[in-house]
Amino acid sequence: MDLQNEKIFAGARLRRLRRERSLTQADAADMLGLSPSYLNLLERNQRPLTARVLLAVAATFDIDVRSLAEGSDRQLVTDLEAAAADPALASLELDRTELTELAETQPRAAEALTRLHQAYRNASESSADLAAQLEGGDRAGRMNETEAVRNALDQRHNFFPALEEAAERFGSRLKLTVDNRSAVLEERLKAEHGIIVRTFEDDIMGGARQRMDFHTRRLMLSDRLSANARPMQMATTLALLEHADILDAEVEAAGFDTRVEESLYRNGLARYFAGAVLAPYEAFLTLAEKSRYDIDRLQRRFGLGFETVCHRLTTLHDLKQPGIPFFMVRMDPAGNVSKRFGGGVLPFARSGGSCPKWTLSEAFRTPEKLLTQRFALPDNSEYLSIARAVSRPASASEPPVLHVIAVGCEWGRAEETIYADALSRTPPTPVGLTCRLCEREACAHRAFPSMQREMNINPWRQAAGPYASDEL
């Protein structure tokens, strides 16, 4: 990104940042070291953001510089496309150019439209559940709450400086290493909080991985936890016990509507803190860059599982020491996505399964094998994908839990990783976000008709697939 030469117009986002913090133009201009009249020109896109102003905005408002410098919000545009393709709006024939302009000039109005569409979609899905209408309504509510938390994480690019700083101080004070961390964290719980860590078999835990018993002052851990997972659970508990003020401040800043959203977000932030304690930012980034983002090597060095390392890769957004912007997705064999971080890199569809040509499905057939892929979306943007199916024990009466974890980055940054070497001469695989939003009509893998255009069915010709276009 050439900040010196690139002209960046981001007036709508600059205005939104100011209004979200209840600042007048005069107040914001003073904080940025600008005159109010010049800030007014910037907000009306009559002047581009200079490199100095861009960095000042990022530092003053504690945001990632890319969120201002990289054009329109990809996830927001994708959500707008999904709304525009809905039968209720399809007749308007809104194209990507119009939707991108809306996202850039009126981001709050665009976000309001996408939220309304998501609520409408969830309500429609629950109404269609004729077998259990009331249960379906609860399900829609839970889906909305989960999406609200995901949106909040994406807005922060999954990076929380206050938690990073607290984790750095905490780990340094305890002198944590891979070899001593379990013993040190266990001692910290006992000495500072009178909590004893105990391991119990599955019949006592009732299938839970961890339970906190405040009556007996015991942190109960399942004997099914791996050696790497135990310190993660203890560090998460210590985050809740010792850094509740930071967690509460972050939750309040997110401005959620329900207690469930707040609780989900708070628990996620506690796990974020734990990951930052076990893999300190500077040490993790240094080895990541030295090893060209070798995930296996990062696992060995920090004693962490594949998913935890992948999650940590999505958090490397310190303006002073940024890493590669990574996205991450976690999917089960049924195609349900239970974790998703776009990282400002890859937009995700809010509903529908993933593209079968993305190697996520293939990874389930070869557990623990690392699959790399170069793929391209319909807009010709290209990405590197790194996927692996991993399992963890469930309760004694259930089979292991299996997920595919995938991380990736824009292909322009892929050469900084070891995984791009074998793919540099490989043409990208054409992939869609989801069938309903994919414009590749002739795809033989299509499971649903595209919402982008009307189907053209010719009874005298069998196309490549049941929903593929008849057009040659």
Side-chain angles (χ1 to χ4, degrees), residues 181 209 221 224-234 303 305:
R181 61 190 186 184
R209 306 179 72 195
L221 300 180
R224 292 177 173 271
L225 286 175
S226 68
N228 292 334
R230 289 176 59 84
M232 190 74 177
Q233 297 292 348
M234 288 188 279

Side-chain angles (χ1 to χ4, degrees), residues 270-311:
R271 290 191 292 272
Y272 181 107
F273 174 89
V277 166
L278 302 180
Y281 190 101
E282 184 175 355
F284 187 86
L285 177 59
T286 298
L287 181 58
E289 293 179 335
K290 179 181 178 180
S291 67
R292 297 183 63 208
Y293 292 85
D294 185 333
I295 296 177
D296 289 332
R297 187 170 173 184
L298 290 166
Q299 283 186 252
R300 293 193 300 270
R301 168 63 179 82
F302 293 99
L304 299 173
F306 183 78
E307 180 178 346
T308 305
V309 168
C310 290
H311 184 281

Side-chain angles (χ1 to χ4, degrees), residues 361-388:
S361 300
E362 183 182 347
F364 284 114
R365 297 193 291 269
T366 55
E368 301 301 334
K369 180 181 179 181
L370 198 70
L371 299 180
T372 59
Q373 183 183 32
R374 178 182 180 181
F375 69 84
L377 294 181
D379 65 0
N380 295 319
S381 58
E382 294 186 20
Y383 300 88
L384 166 70
S385 169
I386 308 157
R388 174 180 283 165

Side-chain angles (χ1 to χ4, degrees), residues 158-178 181 185 228 231-239 243 246-247 267-285 301-304 307-318:
N158 199 29
F159 178 66
F160 299 87
L163 290 175
E164 293 284 355
E165 293 171 8
E168 180 69 28
R169 292 193 303 269
F170 184 82
S172 298
R173 188 165 61 248
L174 295 183
K175 297 181 171 58
L176 289 177
T177 68
V178 174
R181 61 190 186 184
L185 293 173
N228 292 334
M232 190 74 177
Q233 297 292 348
M234 288 188 279
T236 301
T237 301
L238 284 164
H243 298 283
I246 301 177
L247 299 178
N267 289 343
L269 295 181
R271 290 191 292 272
Y272 181 107
F273 174 89
V277 166
L278 302 180
Y281 190 101
E282 184 175 355
F284 187 86
L285 177 59
R301 168 63 179 82
F302 293 99
L304 299 173
E307 180 178 346
T308 305
V309 168
C310 290
H311 184 281
R312 191 61 170 136
L313 287 173
T314 70
T315 68
L316 304 179
H317 299 305
D318 190 320

Side-chain angles (χ1 to χ4, degrees), residues 450-461:
S450 173
M451 297 173 68
Q452 308 282 8
R453 64 183 68 180
E454 185 177 352
M455 293 178 64
N456 179 22
I457 304 298
N458 183 345
W460 302 105
R461 178 177 177 272

Side-chain angles (χ1 to χ4, degrees), residues 11-12 15 25 37 39-47:
R15 183 169 59 251
Q25 277 193 340
S37 60
L39 179 59
N40 182 264
L41 292 174
L42 291 174
E43 289 190 357
R44 288 189 287 131
N45 279 335
Q46 294 185 4
R47 293 288 187 279

